[in-house]
Amino acid sequence: MGLLQVSVIFLLSLTTMTLAEPPGCKIRITDRGLEMLKTETKRFVEEELSNITMPEMRGEEGRFQYTIKDVKITELNLTSDLRFQPDVGLLFEVQNSSITLNFQRRILYWLLRVYDLIGAFLTTGMRFLLNKQICPALNHAALVLVNQLLETIPVRTEVDSYVGIDYSLLSDPVVTETSLDMDFRGMFYNLKNENEVLVNYAMNPIVREYDRMIYLALSEFFFDSGLFSYFKGGLQKQLLLDSFQMPKDLEMLLRTTYLGTIMMLNPALMEHPLSLELEVTSPPRSTIKTSGANVAVSCNVKVLVLPPGKPAVQLSSMTMEGKFNAKVSMKGKRLAIHLDLRRFKIYSNQSALESLALIPLQGPLKTMLQISVVPLINNYIKRGVQIPLPDGIDFIEEVVEYHNGYIIVGANLHFRTGLREIIERKLSADPPQTNTELHSDMTLFYYQTPTQLISALI
């Protein structure tokens, strides 16, 4: 039976961005969240130490010979702690813990009444060898645990066939006695042109709460960069093409509204079908206030006659402006948005008089958008985007709060699987790694207690 005392400090050093850039995404892990992680970490370390193997030992010392084999750990009682180390990182500490070993030994000796002396000699040797095994085992457990967990966080990854997202860390984490704060870029980009990105002029989200395990803050820039990137990638064009089917009553209303125009152009056009062509003219923009979030969209709408075998004939051009309520939600670790069309207006690009004539069209056009276009958009965006959180860890009991310029999602954490399952899945998917690089911006360092050894006393 031996007493153990060891400390491992994780120093997180990041490549800091050279430009002063406010974060689009900020995460705070509180001491409540660390408490849950401590339980999983202790279980993982115990499993690592239980797997320690020691080779068969043979030797001579004076007048006796010995053989020791089949060394197994039969009992492991760890008293450990995981806590924030202000301005440094995370501290994992093991103290006042014990290990019980079982092994087979064979001793040949020539002198009588010396068994206790030989036993003391072997025990000292076993203690020395155990010390040499435990330090590397804890070091390996720490490296594997932190490396593999952080490598499952999406740093720069594709969201779908149109956009990707960049979760690069912008600065070193801020560590206090009660929390760990991390600033991420939180920016979407167009996969067709990754350098064409939106400049971040949004405000820096401020997180003041500590009651829940984790807080996720997202600024208007996070959402605007997504809207901008999807616009540049052409998603809105595809959605409109896939969804737009003009109802018969709307077509009849358009035909009545533009009867005079058709008769002036060519009466024969009355027999041909009408069509609406919608084009989003600029990237949609989001606005977040304490009352909620909304998205503003501006479209150009053309009323066309489609004579068969001939070019389309334009009857009118109008501007359509819509404002959607945006409800933000979390499921697991995927952030999703649901849109609901609230405000809608159309006006003529040609004259104020024509704008007055378009008033009867507003209701039917809004209904058409709510029935055909909005459901298709919501069906596409409901899959959401992953936030920078390791695999196997999900948000639960989340609450969304709206502030001026940003939102905060406060939640508790839940392990879907244990740390070992997460790591084994990651290791089986990737080739073996020999370095300690966590990802492009983070490196891990290992530190022991000042004695640099485990104090193991019988």
Side-chain angles (χ1 to χ4, degrees), residues 73 112 338 356 430 452:
I73 295 179
L112 301 177
H338 183 85
L356 291 175
D430 293 345
Q452 296 295 309

Side-chain angles (χ1 to χ4, degrees), residues 429-446:
D430 293 345
Q433 300 286 332
T434 58
N435 58 41
T436 60
E437 187 178 66
L438 304 182
H439 54 69
S440 59
D441 294 324
M442 186 171 288
T443 306
L444 174 71
F445 297 89
Y446 172 72

Side-chain angles (χ1 to χ4, degrees), residues 3-6 131 134-135 138 448-449 451-456:
L3 298 178
L4 307 179
Q5 184 171 354
V6 67
N131 286 342
I134 289 179
C135 284
L138 282 174
Q448 282 183 258
T449 52
T451 60
Q452 296 295 309
L453 287 174
I454 297 176
S455 175

Side-chain angles (χ1 to χ4, degrees), residues 81-95:
D81 188 27
L82 180 66
R83 63 179 182 271
F84 296 116
Q85 192 79 355
D87 301 322
V88 178
L90 301 178
L91 171 65
F92 178 71
E93 190 172 38
V94 178
Q95 57 183 344

Side-chain angles (χ1 to χ4, degrees), residues 208-223:
R208 295 186 174 92
E209 294 84 357
Y210 294 89
D211 294 335
R212 291 177 174 264
M213 294 182 181
I214 189 169
Y215 291 91
L216 169 71
L218 302 170
S219 73
E220 288 178 351
F221 171 76
F222 178 87
F223 301 99

Side-chain angles (χ1 to χ4, degrees), residues 25 53 58 92 116 127 163 179 265 284 387 445 448:
C25 172
T53 58
R58 297 175 179 269
F92 178 71
D116 291 340
R127 184 190 309 137
V163 304
S179 66
L265 290 174
I387 62 171
F445 297 89
Q448 282 183 258

Side-chain angles (χ1 to χ4, degrees), residues 266-277:
N266 184 354
L269 294 176
M270 286 294 298
E271 301 178 359
H272 303 309
L274 299 183
S275 174
L276 285 178
E277 182 181 279

Side-chain angles (χ1 to χ4, degrees), residues 244-253 364 367-368 371-372:
F244 187 73
Q245 291 183 351
M246 187 187 300
K248 291 295 183 181
D249 55 347
L250 178 58
E251 182 177 359
M252 183 176 297
L253 183 59
T367 301
M368 180 201 69
I371 293 175
S372 58

